[in-house]
């Protein structure tokens, strides 16, 4: 579905998949839209660094536009952090986001791999310092929407946001 609010109860479903040290899962603990969202795995107490990705693939026929998502990232370094990577490039990072936050990222025409990445103990600290009580050690995403824009709309958008082509080495601007 587009937007995907993870209400179907089954995940991962094409064009989504999970990879890394643990699986993302549908959660009813937090939701921005409806009763469900997608939650990162719980790595608290795990030894050493851990990374888990919820990945969305966009096909080669995509005409370019935006990816909209709502994020809650109850994470804080050195314990953990949350990033959105597009085609291997970090588009934006989050820490200590304890209220749902809308995010829009530009996408150039063509195929894309979007990784919603939860990283735990990236620095390999042993032991980790105590976690702040308001931080839950998880990230949630909801209402993921891929919007295709006309060429005219894309040209207007270029003034305020970079549309990244696969393989280019530049940053996205989040609005």
């Amino acid at each position: 579905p587009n937007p995907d609010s993870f209400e179907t109860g089954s995940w991962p479903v094409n064009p989504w998949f999970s990879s890394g040290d643990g699986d993302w899962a549908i959660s009813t603990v937090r939701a921005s839209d409806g009763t469900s969202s997608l939650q990162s795995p719980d790595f608290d107490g795990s030894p050493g660094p851990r990374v888990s990705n919820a990945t969305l693939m966009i096909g080669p026929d995509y005409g370019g536009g935006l990816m909209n998502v709502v994020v809650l990232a109850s994470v804080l370094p050195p314990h953990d952090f949350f990033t959105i990577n597009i085609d291997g490039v970090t588009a934006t990072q989050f820490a200590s986001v304890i209220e749902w936050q809308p995010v829009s990222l530009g996408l150039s025409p063509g195929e894309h791999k979007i990784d919603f990445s939860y990283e735990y103990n990236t620095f390999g600290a042993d032991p980790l310092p105590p976690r702040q009580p308001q931080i839950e050690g998880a990230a949630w995403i909801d209402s993921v929407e891929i919007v295709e824009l006309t060429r005219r709309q894309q040209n207007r958008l270029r003034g305020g946001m970079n549309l990244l082509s696969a393989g280019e080495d530049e940053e996205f601007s989040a609005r």
Side-chain angles (χ1 to χ4, degrees):
N2 189 26
D4 196 340
S5 293
F6 308 102
E7 299 295 320
T8 64
S10 59
W11 192 89
V13 177
N14 192 24
W16 287 93
F17 67 92
S18 188
S19 64
D21 297 312
D23 290 328
W24 287 63
I26 291 179
S27 169
T28 56
V29 173
R30 302 267 182 274
S32 169
D33 179 33
T35 60
S36 301
S37 63
L38 196 62
Q39 181 181 353
S40 63
D42 180 2
F43 290 138
D44 271 348
S46 296
R50 299 280 188 264
V51 177
S52 181
N53 296 318
T55 302
L56 174 62
M57 298 300 295
I58 298 174
D61 295 335
Y62 176 66
L66 298 172
M67 189 238 1
N68 298 319
V69 61
V70 185
V71 171
L72 193 154
S74 188
V75 298
L76 190 63
H79 290 268
D80 42 18
F81 61 96
F82 174 66
T83 61
I84 299 175
N85 305 304
I86 301 177
D87 301 327
V89 176
T90 298
T92 189
Q93 299 180 33
F94 301 90
S96 194
V97 178
I98 56 175
E99 299 287 331
W100 288 102
Q101 176 181 331
V103 177
S104 290
L105 299 171
L107 296 172
S108 63
E111 192 169 26
H112 294 285
K113 178 182 176 187
I114 303 172
D115 288 313
F116 299 89
S117 184
Y118 172 72
E119 300 183 31
Y120 175 79
N121 195 7
T122 304
F123 308 108
D126 185 24
L128 282 165
R131 188 183 289 280
Q132 293 185 9
Q134 74 275 19
I135 301 298
E136 298 177 63
W140 290 264
I141 61 173
D142 204 353
S143 301
V144 179
E145 179 182 34
I146 303 301
V147 179
E148 196 162 339
L149 301 176
T150 65
R151 289 277 183 216
R152 185 175 197 178
Q153 290 170 320
Q154 288 178 37
N155 288 336
R156 278 193 225 143
L157 185 64
R158 287 184 199 280
M161 183 181 297
N162 292 325
L163 296 178
L164 187 69
S165 297
E168 289 182 5
D169 216 10
E170 58 183 85
E171 297 259 341
F172 284 84
S173 299
R175 294 238 176 227

